[in-house]
Amino acid sequence: MKSNRLMIAAIVAGAGATVILAFFYFHRPADAVVKTAPSGAPVQVRVALVEEKDVPRYLLLTGELRAEKESSVATDAAGIVVLASIERGMSVKKGDVLVKLDDRNAILAVREAEANLKSARADYEHARKDLERNEQLAKVKAVSDSSFQKAKANHDISAASLSVAEVRLDKAEKNLADCTVSAPFTGFVAERKVQIGEYVQSGTVVARLVEVDTLRLSLNVPETAVGSLYVGQEVSFTVGAYPDRTFSGKIKHVGAAVRDNSRDLVIEAEIANSDRLLKPGMFVSARLVLTPAISMVVPGNAIRTEGANSHVFVVQDGHAVEKLVETGVPAGSGVEIRGGLKPGEKVVLDPDAGLKDGSQVRM
């Protein structure tokens, strides 16, 4: 009996201790955290110092390529189109015929003007000789003053008629030349606007030409960045047609005023395009090189990226401390760090997937 009572007492005492332990566990403070020291041997790591270096600065912009020369070529005459052999994309040289109008009336007009000029010259020569003869007679009083004045008037009238005939011939020859529309510069046909047999008026656009060996890149720079612009500044860009290739040029023109509505400034860069890969009208993603600035830099293999966050491990007192960092632009083989680190700190290179915050490390 006595042993039974002792057994029961022990059971009751054990149960009571369990209840007490459970009570303290479930009623512990909410901010109490049980910390366990990292276990295992220290992890061997390689490190690099956080350095301050000159880091290039870039302004990311979008823009559009335009032809250095672009012209909507128009005719200065009216008539029926009899020749239009150009096609879209065709290469033309300065002076090549683009379109020709029916020039039969213009040729007849030139012939008529030439005949009128010939007649006017003959009249003028006759009047000139008559005036010279009357001048000699007038010196010896052998001709009346009225006859002399009449000869002089005839001379002046014939001289004016000769000038009018010369102008009319020039005009007729111009009208004849205007029946042929030629390329004003060497380039490519972007579009033909007329067809054979079509009647056009003076001023009608017959073709659009572009010169593409040199292009202009038009960019809109925010007002806040205007102070960083200068002629000769380097700009690099990519286009959708060649995403793996980077093109470059230099700023040639800087706008004189900021636009009211968009609060930006238009600049233009000159782009060499001897291989003619780039086309006017292409949209580009550009990067404008600004003045370098001093910033922290770490090797690229020190950064671990998870989603939108970038982390590094810093060695402090023999332990790895994980830190969230703000990255910037590439800087050679490294990456700019804009926040989260201090110069001189030691960052772990190629951190192992098993490396955790607080892990013991040795260098």
Side-chain angles (χ1 to χ4, degrees), residues 2 9 14 25 40 52 58 67 83 88 106 121 124 136 158 195 200 216 245 302 314-315 328 337 340 344 351 362:
K2 184 177 180 180
Y25 179 83
E52 287 187 311
Y58 305 100
L83 176 67
R88 188 188 303 270
R121 282 175 176 166
Y124 172 74
Q136 296 298 324
S158 63
Q195 301 292 335
V200 297
R216 289 191 179 193
R245 179 168 177 177
V314 175
V315 176
I337 300 296
R362 58 187 175 89

Side-chain angles (χ1 to χ4, degrees), residues 120-363:
R121 282 175 176 166
D123 290 343
Y124 172 74
E125 285 299 317
H126 176 75
R128 183 181 64 80
K129 292 178 179 178
D130 187 54
L131 177 60
E132 289 177 352
R133 182 175 61 83
N134 276 273
E135 285 176 339
Q136 296 298 324
L137 295 173
K139 289 179 180 179
V140 296
K141 306 295 184 179
V143 67
S144 66
D145 184 64
S146 61
S147 296
F148 175 73
Q149 293 298 329
K150 182 177 180 181
K152 186 177 181 180
N154 287 337
H155 173 271
D156 293 345
I157 291 172
S158 63
S161 297
L162 176 60
S163 296
V164 171
E166 289 174 341
V167 170
R168 286 177 176 171
L169 177 59
D170 289 343
K171 185 177 180 179
E173 289 176 340
K174 178 184 179 301
N175 290 338
L176 176 59
D178 287 342
C179 291
T180 301
V181 184
S182 302
F185 53 82
T186 299
F188 290 86
V189 178
E191 186 177 6
R192 187 183 73 183
K193 297 282 192 177
V194 295
Q195 301 292 335
I196 293 178
E198 184 177 348
Y199 184 85
V200 297
Q201 298 284 355
S202 176
T204 300
V205 175
V206 298
R208 187 166 65 89
L209 295 186
V210 293
E211 193 276 313
V212 298
D213 287 340
T214 301
L215 298 179
R216 289 191 179 193
L217 172 57
S218 179
L219 299 169
N220 302 326
V221 179
E223 181 179 3
T224 54
V226 167
S228 303
L229 301 176
Y230 57 89
V231 174
Q233 193 169 5
E234 184 180 351
V235 58
S236 60
F237 63 94
T238 58
V239 296
Y242 309 103
D244 298 327
R245 179 168 177 177
T246 300
F247 302 88
S248 64
K250 292 185 178 181
I251 294 178
K252 188 175 182 180
H253 304 286
V254 177
V258 173
R259 297 189 294 181
D260 291 335
N261 295 333
S262 55
R263 307 308 304 171
D264 59 15
L265 188 72
V266 178
I267 64 173
E268 289 185 342
E270 187 176 76
I271 311 299
N273 188 38
S274 58
D275 54 9
R276 297 172 180 171
L277 292 178
L278 300 172
K279 308 296 182 184
M282 281 184 169
F283 286 99
V284 308
S285 297
R287 190 172 68 169
L288 189 64
V289 180
L290 304 178
T291 304
I294 297 294
S295 188
M296 293 182 293
V297 176
V298 301
N301 59 347
I303 300 173
R304 176 187 290 176
T305 302
E306 297 176 354
N309 297 323
S310 296
H311 304 260
V312 299
F313 286 98
V314 175
V315 176
Q316 293 180 354
D317 300 327
H319 292 81
V321 178
E322 188 174 14
K323 290 189 175 184
L324 182 67
V325 295
E326 179 187 356
T327 58
V329 298
S333 60
V335 177
E336 178 192 16
I337 300 296
R338 295 179 177 175
L341 294 177
K342 296 179 181 179
E345 289 188 306
K346 298 176 181 178
V347 294
V348 177
L349 300 178
D350 298 311
D352 186 82
L355 188 64
K356 304 296 182 182
D357 183 36
S359 297
Q360 292 185 10
V361 296
R362 58 187 175 89
M363 297 178 287

